[in-house]
Amino acid sequence: MENYFQPSLPRDRLLEISSIGLAHMGDAVFELLVRAWLCAHGGATGRGMHRAAVSLVCAESQAEKAEKILPLLTEEERGVFRRGRNAQIHTVPRHASRAQYSEATALEALLGWLYLRGETERINDLFCAMMEEDAHGN
């Protein structure tokens, strides 16, 4: 692979990556999407934008957003999500429950898997569904 900005790993290579590895990638993907979303919806100063980003990428928020997209997932995507949720997590942040952190890890694993497959359009569709209420101020 030579284009790391738009990867497209084969299925067998993706299966070799742990759920935690996929979540590590997905964490970066989600952060980038959130920052782009905040810029597109404007109005925030540097400090305000940082606070808004932190509130959207925290485990509680990610778990809530994951629940919104579960009905939209394909069977294969649900499998990746389940695999991420069942990952062996040894440390949970103080502000999140173990269940919330597991859901957030599952969401990140799914996003990482889709990104490494080169499915950026699918990621965008799911992200838009996650952010729908936030765009309307709810």
Side-chain angles (χ1 to χ4, degrees):
M1 183 173 80
E2 292 186 26
N3 184 349
Y4 293 97
F5 197 68
Q6 295 178 318
S8 184
L9 295 179
R11 191 180 195 320
D12 60 330
R13 177 62 191 111
L14 283 167
L15 292 172
E16 296 172 359
I17 302 171
S18 71
S19 293
I20 298 300
L22 293 173
H24 180 72
M25 181 79 251
D27 177 56
V29 170
F30 191 70
E31 174 95 18
L32 181 62
L33 290 169
V34 163
R35 287 176 181 224
W37 187 86
L38 288 169
C39 286
H41 287 84
T45 63
R47 177 179 280 178
M49 193 175 291
H50 174 73
R51 285 186 184 142
V54 168
S55 74
L56 289 169
V57 301
C58 71
E60 302 97 324
S61 177
Q62 284 185 347
E64 186 180 294
K65 292 185 180 335
E67 290 300 316
K68 290 168 77 172
I69 64 163
L70 281 175
L72 306 176
L73 300 183
T74 67
E75 193 59 41
E76 188 175 27
E77 290 167 347
R78 272 187 236 124
V80 173
F81 188 90
R82 260 190 313 277
R83 189 176 142 209
R85 188 174 46 216
N86 294 333
Q88 294 299 314
I89 301 167
H90 301 292
T91 308
V92 176
R94 283 175 293 176
H95 58 276
S97 70
R98 181 166 287 282
Q100 287 172 323
Y101 198 66
S102 292
E103 289 288 304
T105 301
L107 175 63
E108 290 173 347
L110 174 63
L111 294 175
W113 181 78
L114 288 167
Y115 178 76
L116 292 172
R117 282 179 61 131
E119 295 191 34
T120 54
E121 190 172 325
R122 178 64 173 151
I123 293 169
N124 192 64
D125 290 345
L126 293 173
F127 183 75
C128 287
M130 284 185 251
M131 300 304 286
E132 201 167 84
E133 287 180 10
D134 292 312
H136 302 329
N138 297 330

